[in-house]
Structure formats: structure tokens, C-alpha cells
Amino acid sequence: MILSFIILILGFAALVWSADRFVFGAAALARNFGVPTLIVGLTIVAMGSSAPEMMVAAQAAFADKTDTAVGNAVGSNIANILLVLGITALLRPLSVGSGILKREMPLLVIVSLGAWFIVSDNHFTRTEGLVLFAGFITFLATLLILTKRSGNQDDDPLVAEACDEVPNDVPTNKAILWLVVGMIMLPISSGYLIEAAIDIAKYFGMSDLLIGLTIIAVGTSLPELAACIAGVLKNEDDLAMGNIIGSNIFNILAVLSIAGILNPADIDANIAQRDIYIMLGATFILIAMSLSLKGTRRINRVEGGLLLAAFIGYMYYII
């Protein structure tokens, strides 16, 4: 069991590192071939930010563990709001920009309700997975069109962050090297991670869903935590909020869709009866906190503490 925990931790570390190298190589190569920064940012970089979750979902689906894949997507969204934003707001109150309130948050509510509708019958079909992935492509295309029309990528924190991460002046041979390394390491690391998680789940008598909601969800949310902390330390609150909201949208449209496309199956009833409502509740609480009655549009330390306490209570309840 100790060996499984070691493999799990190393698997998480390798997964995050290989995803970063894959995105770096692919984005640099596309840039070298003359693809505009905006397109690279909103395709390769934006999708790459969810590469760890997508690979975990794919490996879980291939292993006939659809519950783990669904639990990862839903659990990551819960962890992003309650755990990541809770800790971040405790460090420093977060201001919420009007652009996020007008564009990203309404979309997050829509896709979250869509996820609720899909899991409500305790079955995930391939058609539903394809619809979600089509929504993901539409989302990226719409962001691209709106940003090109506005002529200013800084208008949207999600767009600005993705474009800022596009590497410059990287030799083509170096870009190809990192692209290949990432492509090789992503499936290997995620495969070992899933195997270790399954071993741990069996040892403690945990269901496939529970392992996805807890260990895997929290592990794949750690990069978002690091990004948010870095954002607030640099006084870039919009980037921190945009990172969380964008990640949650991607988790539903890109990550959750993979489970249905690769392995349509019946899913644990607890998702529809418990966890999807926790995810929706966390989403609406985030919006309520962002729309302060005092008009400050910020999430303060007290609210951050409440979010973190809610996450601890949720983990205690399901475990």
C-alpha cells in the first residue's frame, strides 16, 4: 500500500510535468510555423491546461472506470471552488472583474446545469459525451471570434492568460523534443496514477466514484492552486479567478465528455443524488460571493474560510 501511495504521488508529479512539456512543445512548434498567438493560446494552451484531467479521464475510461472519470471532473470542480479559491482568498481577498461576471460565470452556470442534466438519469451515453465536446469546441471558437472582434485579448482574463503562456523564440528541434516527450509521458504517468488509485481504493474499500472525487480530484486541482496563489501574489486577481472558472468549464466540456465518448456506461447514483448538487451549490455560492451586496465584487477572507470549511465538511461526509 505504501508503494501504491508513492506511485500515486510520483504519477501526479510526472503527469503535471509531462502536460506542461507537451503544451510547451506543441505551442512553440505551432508558433514557429506561423500560427497566430491568439489561436495557439485558445487551442493548444487552453486545452493543455486540462491535459492532466483529460488523460486521467481517458485512462479511467479505458480501464472501465467511468465512475472515476466522472468523479474526477465533478470533484475537481468542487475542489477548485471550495478548496483552491478558499485557500487563495484566505491569503488575500480576491477582486472579481466585471468581464468575468458578464461572460465566464453565466457560461459556467449553463454548462454546470448541462452536467446535472446528463448525470440525472444515472447513465452517460456516447451522444452526451459528443455533445459536451462539441460545446467545448464551440466555446473556444466563440472566445476566439469575440476576442478578434474586440481587438484586445486583455479584455478577457482567460484569453489573456492563455496567450501569455505561448512561448517565444524556441528552436524547432527543441519544441519537437518536448512535444514527443510529453506525448510519451502523459499516457504512461496517467496509467500508473490510475492503477495506483485503484489499488488504494480496493485496500480501503472505496468506490471508483469516491477515489475520483477525493484523491484524484484534489491532486489534479493542485496546479490550479499554485496558479491562483501565484496570481494573487502578483496582484492579478482576474487571472486567478479566470483560471478557476476556465478550468471548471473545461472540466465539464472537455474532461467529462471523454468518459462518455470512450466508455458510455451506467454511473454511480451518488453523483446524481449528492455530488452534482454540491458542485452546483459551490458554483452558485461563488457567484453570490462575487456579487456582494456592498458592490465591492470581492471574495474576502471570511468567505474564503467558509469555502474551505465547506470543502473539509464535504470530504468528511463522503469519506
Side-chain angles (χ1 to χ4, degrees):
M1 183 48 51
I2 294 176
L3 179 60
S4 293
F5 272 109
I6 293 173
I7 293 174
L8 183 75
I9 294 170
L10 292 177
F12 274 126
L15 182 65
V16 173
W17 179 82
S18 57
D20 178 75
R21 293 299 84 194
F22 172 79
V23 172
F24 178 87
L29 190 62
R31 183 71 180 270
N32 289 354
F33 279 109
V35 180
T37 300
L38 181 62
I39 295 177
V40 176
L42 287 180
T43 53
I44 297 172
V45 174
M47 292 184 68
S49 64
S50 293
E53 289 91 339
M54 293 172 74
M55 286 305 305
V56 167
Q59 290 287 353
F62 281 132
D64 197 27
K65 301 291 181 181
T66 299
D67 282 340
T68 300
V70 174
N72 178 33
V74 174
S76 291
N77 279 18
I78 294 171
N80 281 344
I81 295 175
L82 300 183
L83 175 65
V84 176
L85 279 183
I87 292 175
T88 306
L90 277 174
L91 292 175
R92 199 181 77 120
L94 279 167
S95 298
V96 183
S98 59
I100 289 177
L101 287 172
K102 292 178 180 178
R103 188 183 299 178
E104 269 78 25
M105 280 193 178
L107 181 57
L108 177 59
V109 171
I110 292 171
V111 298
S112 297
L113 290 173
W116 165 78
F117 177 78
I118 285 173
V119 304
S120 61
D121 62 353
N122 300 324
H123 186 72
F124 200 1
T125 68
R126 180 167 286 115
T127 299
E128 290 169 336
L130 290 170
V131 169
L132 285 176
F133 194 74
F136 178 60
I137 300 302
T138 302
F139 168 60
L140 293 182
T142 302
L143 269 183
L144 177 62
I145 292 171
L146 292 176
T147 304
K148 291 186 73 173
R149 283 180 179 175
S150 69
N152 185 8
Q153 67 189 37
D154 293 331
D155 286 345
D156 190 299
L158 182 62
V159 176
E161 181 184 22
C163 292
D164 287 343
E165 292 181 6
V166 177
N168 293 313
D169 302 322
V170 179
T172 299
N173 58 348
K174 183 178 179 180
I176 293 174
L177 172 64
W178 286 123
L179 176 63
V180 172
V181 168
M183 290 176 65
I184 294 173
M185 288 299 298
L186 271 171
I188 292 175
S189 57
S190 59
Y192 276 111
L193 189 155
I194 289 296
E195 288 180 8
I198 291 172
D199 287 341
I200 294 170
K202 289 180 179 177
Y203 182 83
F204 288 105
M206 299 171 70
S207 66
D208 293 340
L209 172 62
L210 192 57
I211 197 70
L213 287 168
T214 55
I215 297 175
I216 296 179
V218 173
T220 53
S221 293
L222 293 179
E224 278 79 16
L225 176 60
C228 283
I229 292 175
V232 296
L233 290 179
K234 293 186 292 186
N235 295 321
E236 295 176 339
D237 293 13
D238 268 5
L239 291 185
M241 288 292 295
N243 178 58
I244 290 301
I245 295 174
S247 177
N248 280 20
I249 292 172
F250 292 170
N251 282 341
I252 294 173
L253 297 180
V255 178
L256 188 60
S257 64
I258 290 175
I261 293 171
L262 296 182
N263 190 39
D266 291 332
I267 53 178
D268 194 316
N270 282 313
I271 279 283
Q273 297 172 4
R274 178 192 64 197
D275 305 301
I276 197 69
Y277 289 109
I278 299 296
M279 187 190 80
L280 286 172
T283 300
F284 286 116
I285 288 172
L286 172 61
I287 294 173
M289 288 181 174
S290 301
L291 293 171
S292 173
L293 295 177
K294 296 179 181 179
T296 54
R297 287 181 177 170
R298 65 186 306 185
I299 300 175
N300 58 42
R301 286 190 173 91
V302 173
E303 291 167 334
L306 291 174
L307 290 176
L308 184 57
F311 180 76
I312 295 172
Y314 170 64
M315 288 289 105
Y316 178 81
Y317 175 72
I318 64 174
I319 293 176

mmCIF file of all heavy atoms in Angstrom, residues 52 59 62 92 110 116 119 122 149 153-154 162 175 177 188 195 221 223 226 240 266-267 276 288-289 299 310 314 316:
data_model
loop_
_atom_site.group_PDB
_atom_site.id
_atom_site.type_symbol
_atom_site.label_atom_id
_atom_site.label_comp_id
_atom_site.label_asym_id
_atom_site.label_seq_id
_atom_site.Cartn_x
_atom_site.Cartn_y
_atom_site.Cartn_z
ATOM 1 N N PRO A 52 -3.879 17.144 -17.827
ATOM 2 C CA PRO A 52 -3.827 16.102 -16.783
ATOM 3 C C PRO A 52 -5.190 15.465 -16.530
ATOM 4 O O PRO A 52 -5.306 14.230 -16.468
ATOM 5 C CB PRO A 52 -3.323 16.865 -15.558
ATOM 6 C CG PRO A 52 -2.539 18.001 -16.116
ATOM 7 C CD PRO A 52 -3.287 18.410 -17.349
ATOM 8 N N GLN A 59 -7.666 7.408 -19.317
ATOM 9 C CA GLN A 59 -7.142 6.164 -18.750
ATOM 10 C C GLN A 59 -8.198 5.455 -17.907
ATOM 11 O O GLN A 59 -8.322 4.224 -17.947
ATOM 12 C CB GLN A 59 -5.899 6.453 -17.907
ATOM 13 C CG GLN A 59 -4.672 6.873 -18.701
ATOM 14 C CD GLN A 59 -4.045 5.718 -19.463
ATOM 15 O OE1 GLN A 59 -4.441 4.572 -19.298
ATOM 16 N NE2 GLN A 59 -3.078 6.009 -20.302
ATOM 17 N N PHE A 62 -10.753 3.856 -20.291
ATOM 18 C CA PHE A 62 -10.194 2.652 -20.912
ATOM 19 C C PHE A 62 -10.145 1.480 -19.929
ATOM 20 O O PHE A 62 -10.227 0.323 -20.330
ATOM 21 C CB PHE A 62 -8.788 2.926 -21.451
ATOM 22 C CG PHE A 62 -8.783 3.662 -22.767
ATOM 23 C CD1 PHE A 62 -7.967 4.772 -22.945
ATOM 24 C CD2 PHE A 62 -9.583 3.260 -23.820
ATOM 25 C CE1 PHE A 62 -7.959 5.463 -24.155
ATOM 26 C CE2 PHE A 62 -9.591 3.938 -25.039
ATOM 27 C CZ PHE A 62 -8.774 5.042 -25.196
ATOM 28 N N ARG A 92 -5.347 36.297 0.464
ATOM 29 C CA ARG A 92 -5.613 37.694 0.113
ATOM 30 C C ARG A 92 -6.986 37.794 -0.523
ATOM 31 O O ARG A 92 -7.311 36.987 -1.412
ATOM 32 C CB ARG A 92 -4.567 38.205 -0.878
ATOM 33 C CG ARG A 92 -4.498 39.733 -0.932
ATOM 34 C CD ARG A 92 -3.450 40.156 -1.947
ATOM 35 N NE ARG A 92 -3.960 40.014 -3.301
ATOM 36 C CZ ARG A 92 -4.075 41.028 -4.169
ATOM 37 N NH1 ARG A 92 -3.729 42.238 -3.808
ATOM 38 N NH2 ARG A 92 -4.532 40.832 -5.387
ATOM 39 N N ILE A 110 -24.389 27.571 -17.041
ATOM 40 C CA ILE A 110 -25.056 26.824 -18.106
ATOM 41 C C ILE A 110 -24.460 25.425 -18.260
ATOM 42 O O ILE A 110 -25.181 24.425 -18.311
ATOM 43 C CB ILE A 110 -24.971 27.597 -19.439
ATOM 44 C CG1 ILE A 110 -25.809 28.870 -19.366
ATOM 45 C CG2 ILE A 110 -25.451 26.721 -20.601
ATOM 46 C CD1 ILE A 110 -25.627 29.804 -20.552
ATOM 47 N N TRP A 116 -25.493 18.458 -14.813
ATOM 48 C CA TRP A 116 -26.548 17.915 -13.944
ATOM 49 C C TRP A 116 -27.577 17.142 -14.758
ATOM 50 O O TRP A 116 -27.987 16.036 -14.390
ATOM 51 C CB TRP A 116 -27.227 19.050 -13.184
ATOM 52 C CG TRP A 116 -28.532 18.646 -12.559
ATOM 53 C CD1 TRP A 116 -28.719 17.934 -11.414
ATOM 54 C CD2 TRP A 116 -29.842 18.901 -13.088
ATOM 55 N NE1 TRP A 116 -30.055 17.731 -11.188
ATOM 56 C CE2 TRP A 116 -30.771 18.311 -12.202
ATOM 57 C CE3 TRP A 116 -30.311 19.568 -14.227
ATOM 58 C CZ2 TRP A 116 -32.143 18.380 -12.420
ATOM 59 C CZ3 TRP A 116 -31.681 19.634 -14.437
ATOM 60 C CH2 TRP A 116 -32.578 19.048 -13.541
ATOM 61 N N VAL A 119 -26.131 13.619 -15.920
ATOM 62 C CA VAL A 119 -25.958 12.560 -14.919
ATOM 63 C C VAL A 119 -27.249 12.240 -14.174
ATOM 64 O O VAL A 119 -27.292 11.273 -13.404
ATOM 65 C CB VAL A 119 -24.864 12.936 -13.897
ATOM 66 C CG1 VAL A 119 -23.553 13.239 -14.591
ATOM 67 C CG2 VAL A 119 -25.295 14.112 -13.008
ATOM 68 N N ASN A 122 -28.500 8.707 -14.211
ATOM 69 C CA ASN A 122 -27.517 7.696 -13.801
ATOM 70 C C ASN A 122 -26.934 6.909 -14.975
ATOM 71 O O ASN A 122 -26.484 5.770 -14.811
ATOM 72 C CB ASN A 122 -28.124 6.703 -12.790
ATOM 73 C CG ASN A 122 -28.618 7.391 -11.537
ATOM 74 O OD1 ASN A 122 -28.026 8.351 -11.070
ATOM 75 N ND2 ASN A 122 -29.727 6.904 -10.995
ATOM 76 N N ARG A 149 -12.739 40.289 -32.580
ATOM 77 C CA ARG A 149 -13.611 41.445 -32.856
ATOM 78 C C ARG A 149 -13.281 42.614 -31.941
ATOM 79 O O ARG A 149 -13.313 43.776 -32.365
ATOM 80 C CB ARG A 149 -15.077 41.039 -32.673
ATOM 81 C CG ARG A 149 -15.644 40.218 -33.830
ATOM 82 C CD ARG A 149 -17.101 39.869 -33.567
ATOM 83 N NE ARG A 149 -17.669 39.104 -34.674
ATOM 84 C CZ ARG A 149 -18.898 38.594 -34.656
ATOM 85 N NH1 ARG A 149 -19.676 38.769 -33.597
ATOM 86 N NH2 ARG A 149 -19.342 37.920 -35.696
ATOM 87 N N GLN A 153 -6.952 41.220 -26.523
ATOM 88 C CA GLN A 153 -7.026 39.957 -25.820
ATOM 89 C C GLN A 153 -7.015 40.134 -24.308
ATOM 90 O O GLN A 153 -7.399 39.234 -23.570
ATOM 91 C CB GLN A 153 -5.865 39.055 -26.232
ATOM 92 C CG GLN A 153 -4.493 39.544 -25.797
ATOM 93 C CD GLN A 153 -3.378 38.722 -26.416
ATOM 94 O OE1 GLN A 153 -3.458 38.304 -27.563
ATOM 95 N NE2 GLN A 153 -2.327 38.493 -25.654
ATOM 96 N N ASP A 154 -6.617 41.293 -23.809
ATOM 97 C CA ASP A 154 -6.584 41.530 -22.366
ATOM 98 C C ASP A 154 -7.962 41.779 -21.789
ATOM 99 O O ASP A 154 -8.119 41.875 -20.574
ATOM 100 C CB ASP A 154 -5.676 42.720 -22.042
ATOM 101 C CG ASP A 154 -4.206 42.417 -22.340
ATOM 102 O OD1 ASP A 154 -3.828 41.243 -22.245
ATOM 103 O OD2 ASP A 154 -3.470 43.361 -22.684
ATOM 104 N N ALA A 162 -4.048 32.545 -21.405
ATOM 105 C CA ALA A 162 -3.653 31.551 -22.393
ATOM 106 C C ALA A 162 -2.617 32.111 -23.360
ATOM 107 O O ALA A 162 -1.627 31.451 -23.696
ATOM 108 C CB ALA A 162 -4.885 31.059 -23.156
ATOM 109 N N ALA A 175 11.370 22.305 -29.598
ATOM 110 C CA ALA A 175 9.916 22.205 -29.479
ATOM 111 C C ALA A 175 9.441 20.783 -29.800
ATOM 112 O O ALA A 175 8.590 20.228 -29.098
ATOM 113 C CB ALA A 175 9.245 23.207 -30.421
ATOM 114 N N LEU A 177 11.212 18.024 -29.548
ATOM 115 C CA LEU A 177 11.680 17.144 -28.481
ATOM 116 C C LEU A 177 10.702 17.132 -27.314
ATOM 117 O O LEU A 177 10.288 16.060 -26.848
ATOM 118 C CB LEU A 177 13.058 17.601 -27.995
ATOM 119 C CG LEU A 177 13.590 16.891 -26.740
ATOM 120 C CD1 LEU A 177 13.802 15.417 -27.022
ATOM 121 C CD2 LEU A 177 14.883 17.553 -26.252
ATOM 122 N N ILE A 188 1.733 7.335 -20.012
ATOM 123 C CA ILE A 188 2.433 6.463 -19.065
ATOM 124 C C ILE A 188 2.158 6.900 -17.626
ATOM 125 O O ILE A 188 1.781 6.091 -16.763
ATOM 126 C CB ILE A 188 3.951 6.467 -19.342
ATOM 127 C CG1 ILE A 188 4.243 5.788 -20.679
ATOM 128 C CG2 ILE A 188 4.701 5.742 -18.216
ATOM 129 C CD1 ILE A 188 5.702 5.847 -21.092
ATOM 130 N N GLU A 195 -3.754 3.167 -11.930
ATOM 131 C CA GLU A 195 -3.537 1.850 -11.323
ATOM 132 C C GLU A 195 -3.289 1.967 -9.817
ATOM 133 O O GLU A 195 -3.825 1.177 -9.021
ATOM 134 C CB GLU A 195 -2.345 1.164 -11.993
ATOM 135 C CG GLU A 195 -2.635 0.690 -13.418
ATOM 136 C CD GLU A 195 -1.439 0.012 -14.046
ATOM 137 O OE1 GLU A 195 -0.441 -0.220 -13.322
ATOM 138 O OE2 GLU A 195 -1.491 -0.300 -15.253
ATOM 139 N N SER A 221 -6.223 19.217 -8.996
ATOM 140 C CA SER A 221 -6.518 20.622 -8.723
ATOM 141 C C SER A 221 -5.320 21.384 -8.167
ATOM 142 O O SER A 221 -5.360 22.612 -8.058
ATOM 143 C CB SER A 221 -7.690 20.751 -7.729
ATOM 144 O OG SER A 221 -8.892 20.299 -8.303
ATOM 145 N N PRO A 223 -2.350 22.054 -9.515
ATOM 146 C CA PRO A 223 -1.802 23.080 -10.413
ATOM 147 C C PRO A 223 -2.625 24.364 -10.410
ATOM 148 O O PRO A 223 -2.062 25.468 -10.491
ATOM 149 C CB PRO A 223 -1.847 22.400 -11.791
ATOM 150 C CG PRO A 223 -1.778 20.942 -11.492
ATOM 151 C CD PRO A 223 -2.558 20.772 -10.224
ATOM 152 N N ALA A 226 -1.651 26.324 -7.302
ATOM 153 C CA ALA A 226 -0.372 27.015 -7.484
ATOM 154 C C ALA A 226 -0.539 28.237 -8.372
ATOM 155 O O ALA A 226 0.016 29.307 -8.090
ATOM 156 C CB ALA A 226 0.656 26.052 -8.088
ATOM 157 N N ALA A 240 -6.380 34.821 -11.560
ATOM 158 C CA ALA A 240 -6.662 33.749 -10.614
ATOM 159 C C ALA A 240 -8.105 33.268 -10.762
ATOM 160 O O ALA A 240 -8.373 32.061 -10.842
ATOM 161 C CB ALA A 240 -6.409 34.233 -9.186
ATOM 162 N N ASP A 266 -23.467 3.032 -17.198
ATOM 163 C CA ASP A 266 -24.206 3.469 -16.022
ATOM 164 C C ASP A 266 -23.218 4.070 -15.032
ATOM 165 O O ASP A 266 -22.068 3.620 -14.934
ATOM 166 C CB ASP A 266 -24.925 2.285 -15.369
ATOM 167 C CG ASP A 266 -26.071 1.762 -16.223
ATOM 168 O OD1 ASP A 266 -26.646 2.554 -16.984
ATOM 169 O OD2 ASP A 266 -26.367 0.553 -16.132
ATOM 170 N N ILE A 267 -23.648 5.078 -14.287
ATOM 171 C CA ILE A 267 -22.762 5.722 -13.324
ATOM 172 C C ILE A 267 -23.367 5.649 -11.933
ATOM 173 O O ILE A 267 -24.584 5.503 -11.771
ATOM 174 C CB ILE A 267 -22.470 7.188 -13.705
ATOM 175 C CG1 ILE A 267 -23.759 7.981 -13.930
ATOM 176 C CG2 ILE A 267 -21.596 7.257 -14.942
ATOM 177 C CD1 ILE A 267 -23.529 9.445 -14.272
ATOM 178 N N ILE A 276 -23.323 16.118 -7.679
ATOM 179 C CA ILE A 276 -23.604 17.139 -8.693
ATOM 180 C C ILE A 276 -24.280 18.344 -8.043
ATOM 181 O O ILE A 276 -24.072 19.499 -8.465
ATOM 182 C CB ILE A 276 -24.473 16.564 -9.836
ATOM 183 C CG1 ILE A 276 -24.414 17.480 -11.064
ATOM 184 C CG2 ILE A 276 -25.896 16.344 -9.391
ATOM 185 C CD1 ILE A 276 -23.084 17.495 -11.759
ATOM 186 N N ALA A 288 -22.712 34.225 -5.762
ATOM 187 C CA ALA A 288 -23.286 35.069 -4.716
ATOM 188 C C ALA A 288 -22.201 35.867 -4.001
ATOM 189 O O ALA A 288 -22.384 37.056 -3.699
ATOM 190 C CB ALA A 288 -24.047 34.201 -3.713
ATOM 191 N N MET A 289 -21.062 35.242 -3.744
ATOM 192 C CA MET A 289 -19.967 35.948 -3.090
ATOM 193 C C MET A 289 -19.368 37.015 -3.999
ATOM 194 O O MET A 289 -18.931 38.072 -3.544
ATOM 195 C CB MET A 289 -18.872 34.952 -2.671
ATOM 196 C CG MET A 289 -19.249 34.065 -1.501
ATOM 197 S SD MET A 289 -17.902 32.942 -1.033
ATOM 198 C CE MET A 289 -18.591 32.196 0.447
ATOM 199 N N ILE A 299 -14.156 38.499 -2.979
ATOM 200 C CA ILE A 299 -14.305 37.378 -2.058
ATOM 201 C C ILE A 299 -13.314 37.614 -0.931
ATOM 202 O O ILE A 299 -12.102 37.594 -1.145
ATOM 203 C CB ILE A 299 -14.025 36.042 -2.770
ATOM 204 C CG1 ILE A 299 -15.006 35.852 -3.937
ATOM 205 C CG2 ILE A 299 -14.138 34.874 -1.802
ATOM 206 C CD1 ILE A 299 -14.725 34.628 -4.775
ATOM 207 N N ALA A 310 -16.324 24.390 4.078
ATOM 208 C CA ALA A 310 -17.309 23.596 3.338
ATOM 209 C C ALA A 310 -16.635 22.414 2.643
ATOM 210 O O ALA A 310 -17.182 21.308 2.597
ATOM 211 C CB ALA A 310 -18.023 24.474 2.319
ATOM 212 N N TYR A 314 -17.362 18.522 3.331
ATOM 213 C CA TYR A 314 -17.765 17.636 2.231
ATOM 214 C C TYR A 314 -16.891 16.390 2.197
ATOM 215 O O TYR A 314 -17.395 15.255 2.056
ATOM 216 C CB TYR A 314 -17.677 18.408 0.912
ATOM 217 C CG TYR A 314 -17.840 17.555 -0.325
ATOM 218 C CD1 TYR A 314 -19.029 16.887 -0.590
ATOM 219 C CD2 TYR A 314 -16.794 17.436 -1.244
ATOM 220 C CE1 TYR A 314 -19.176 16.107 -1.732
ATOM 221 C CE2 TYR A 314 -16.937 16.660 -2.389
ATOM 222 C CZ TYR A 314 -18.123 16.003 -2.620
ATOM 223 O OH TYR A 314 -18.259 15.233 -3.759
ATOM 224 N N TYR A 316 -15.208 15.068 4.651
ATOM 225 C CA TYR A 316 -15.540 14.255 5.839
ATOM 226 C C TYR A 316 -16.818 13.459 5.617
ATOM 227 O O TYR A 316 -16.904 12.276 5.947
ATOM 228 C CB TYR A 316 -15.677 15.166 7.064
ATOM 229 C CG TYR A 316 -16.060 14.424 8.333
ATOM 230 C CD1 TYR A 316 -15.094 13.761 9.073
ATOM 231 C CD2 TYR A 316 -17.384 14.410 8.770
ATOM 232 C CE1 TYR A 316 -15.437 13.069 10.233
ATOM 233 C CE2 TYR A 316 -17.737 13.731 9.929
ATOM 234 C CZ TYR A 316 -16.764 13.059 10.659
ATOM 235 O OH TYR A 316 -17.113 12.379 11.788
#
